[in-house]
Amino acid sequence: MKAREVKRAKLVAKYAAKRAELKKIVNSGVNEENRAEAFEAAQALQKLPKNSNPIRVHNRCTITGRPKGYMRQFGLSRIQFREMASAGLIPGVKKASW
């Protein structure tokens, strides 16, 4: 699962500029004269790989790959955070604080 997330992150980075450009054209298609161009841009946007959409990238624990209970500040799941804090591997965290 971790490898899949890395692959998705690379695709997002690769297509970010193209996706932003197409979305800008689609959002400007309110006028009659821009409507055809916006429609073509929307079709081009749909042809991009699904995994190039940033919504599809999940936050995962860097150690276990667990997607749930993720703590952004540490990049860990709650379970790994607790184990590392108990072992004294995270500075400034005492058991009384969690």
Side-chain angles (χ1 to χ4, degrees):
M1 294 306 251
K2 286 191 222 177
R4 188 181 298 169
E5 291 301 322
V6 170
K7 184 178 176 183
R8 284 181 181 160
K10 286 180 183 177
L11 273 174
V12 167
K14 180 179 178 181
Y15 288 100
K18 188 170 188 177
R19 182 173 287 279
E21 181 182 320
L22 289 171
K23 284 184 88 77
K24 185 177 178 182
I25 294 169
V26 169
N27 291 335
S28 70
V30 179
N31 301 337
E32 278 295 323
E33 58 257 356
N34 293 343
R35 194 165 286 171
E37 185 182 356
F39 182 73
E40 290 173 10
Q43 286 182 330
L45 194 60
Q46 288 178 352
K47 289 181 182 176
L48 292 178
K50 285 185 181 180
N51 286 335
S52 68
N53 192 341
I55 289 292
R56 293 178 70 98
V57 177
H58 296 280
N59 290 325
R60 289 188 176 269
C61 176
T62 54
I63 298 172
T64 61
R66 178 183 168 88
K68 297 186 178 180
Y70 178 80
M71 302 172 89
R72 274 181 207 234
Q73 187 175 4
F74 300 98
L76 301 170
S77 67
R78 61 182 179 79
I79 297 167
Q80 282 300 312
F81 174 80
R82 193 175 172 108
E83 288 177 5
M84 290 178 77
S86 293
L89 298 174
I90 302 175
V93 178
K94 297 178 184 174
K95 187 170 182 188
S97 67
W98 41 274

